[in-house]
Amino acid sequence: MTTPASTSISRQIPLNEINQKVQSCKECHLSETRTNAVPGEGSSNATVMIVGEGPGRQEDLEGRPFVGRAGRLLDELLVSIKIDRKSVYITNIVKCRASTRSSNETALQQQARDRKPTSEEITACAPYLEEQMRIIDPQIICTLGDTATQFILEKHGLKTGNISKIHGRTYSTGRVKIAPMYHPAAALYTAELKDVMKKDFRRLSGLLSQTTLESIG
Ligand code: URA
Ligand code: SF4
């Protein structure tokens, strides 16, 4: 299905506005330690939106989502199912890196460890993701890892569960399908998880073909 160019333009403008707001946002303490905020990137007409947890070190340095080691694995998984990274929209639950580093410890930056965002940080940042979802209006939301899965399922009024139990399932709500996956960072440390993720991504590919057929027919 082709989307008229006018739709793409009308979505791009509000998306750019969100990007600008995120880049100067000070709604939570993560603004004090970030190098760059990471609003997200991809197609404003995306059928699939991929949602991770939050930027890591490389993402913080570049201001782009999933460009570090976990990102390379995500790219590999997308290539394996012939999805072009540019055709999806990739973002995170929180837009600034959550690490154990405090603002006056820049010398230790290299050693800073990523941590999960707190519920306060998630709540502060949620309006940006909600706006992105409203504008892009994806048909499939692929959540990576526990943090994103919990947030997205709860937001849609669905019961959530540990990612080790629910990865690879499809949840349907309204016209949106939610596809929880393991976080690619987890698969960097556990080789078997990579095979599980490959299999789950093949299901995502099937879901996408089915969704595309439904919207044509
Ligand atoms: N992990 C995430 O959850 N998001 C990124 O953008 C990079 C790593
Ligand atoms: Fe703002 Fe979100 Fe960054 Fe917090 S994490 S400063 S709410 S953009």
Side-chain angles (χ1 to χ4, degrees):
M1 188 178 63
T2 52
T3 309
S6 58
T7 313
S8 148
I9 293 165
S10 65
R11 286 177 178 174
Q12 197 54 56
I13 293 168
L15 277 180
N16 291 346
E17 282 170 7
I18 297 177
N19 292 353
Q20 281 172 9
K21 281 190 200 155
V22 166
Q23 275 148 3
S24 58
C25 177
K26 293 199 165 75
E27 289 295 321
C28 84
H29 285 300
L30 296 183
S31 63
E32 294 161 19
T33 46
R34 74 179 173 222
T35 314
N36 291 294
V38 182
E41 66 181 25
S43 166
S44 58
N45 291 321
T47 305
V48 181
M49 188 161 180
I50 297 180
V51 184
E53 180 175 280
R57 176 166 183 270
Q58 197 58 35
E59 290 76 21
D60 172 72
L61 291 175
E62 293 188 35
R64 295 180 55 211
F66 283 99
V67 288
R69 287 184 67 209
R72 282 199 289 281
L73 178 52
L74 176 62
D75 288 346
E76 190 186 320
L77 290 161
L78 289 173
V79 167
S80 76
I81 55 167
K82 300 187 173 56
I83 291 185
D84 182 359
R85 179 177 163 129
K86 291 192 195 71
S87 72
V88 298
Y89 193 85
I90 306 179
T91 189
N92 284 298
I93 295 289
V94 295
K95 314 301 193 200
C96 302
R97 184 187 185 198
S99 76
T100 52
R101 167 167 67 105
S102 70
S103 51
N104 56 5
E105 272 183 326
T106 46
L108 292 176
Q109 189 170 353
Q110 299 290 327
Q111 291 158 32
R113 291 169 61 90
D114 293 335
R115 61 165 173 81
K116 280 189 182 294
T118 63
S119 57
E120 288 78 17
E121 290 155 359
I122 293 174
T123 305
C125 210
Y128 298 123
L129 178 63
E130 278 159 8
E131 271 293 287
Q132 288 171 325
M133 289 195 289
R134 197 184 56 75
I135 296 163
I136 296 166
D137 193 21
Q139 285 169 275
I140 300 171
I141 303 176
C142 170
T143 57
L144 301 177
D146 267 318
T147 304
T149 301
Q150 248 179 45
F151 180 88
I152 297 289
L153 286 180
E154 279 171 12
K155 187 186 149 41
H156 288 84
L158 295 163
K159 195 166 164 289
T160 180
N162 192 286
I163 196 67
S164 61
K165 298 260 167 15
I166 65 171
H167 69 90
R169 288 191 197 168
T170 303
Y171 294 78
S172 293
T173 160
R175 61 183 280 282
V176 183
K177 295 191 175 74
I178 302 169
M181 309 276 175
Y182 276 109
H183 193 289
L188 291 176
Y189 303 104
T190 315
E192 307 85 74
L193 281 191
K194 190 170 164 181
D195 292 332
V196 176
M197 288 200 79
K198 279 189 177 159
K199 202 169 144 212
D200 290 347
F201 267 69
R202 282 201 293 276
R203 287 196 195 178
L204 176 67
S205 168
L207 192 61
L208 181 59
S209 318
Q210 186 192 332
T211 306
T212 311
L213 280 177
E214 279 167 14
S215 56
I216 294 169

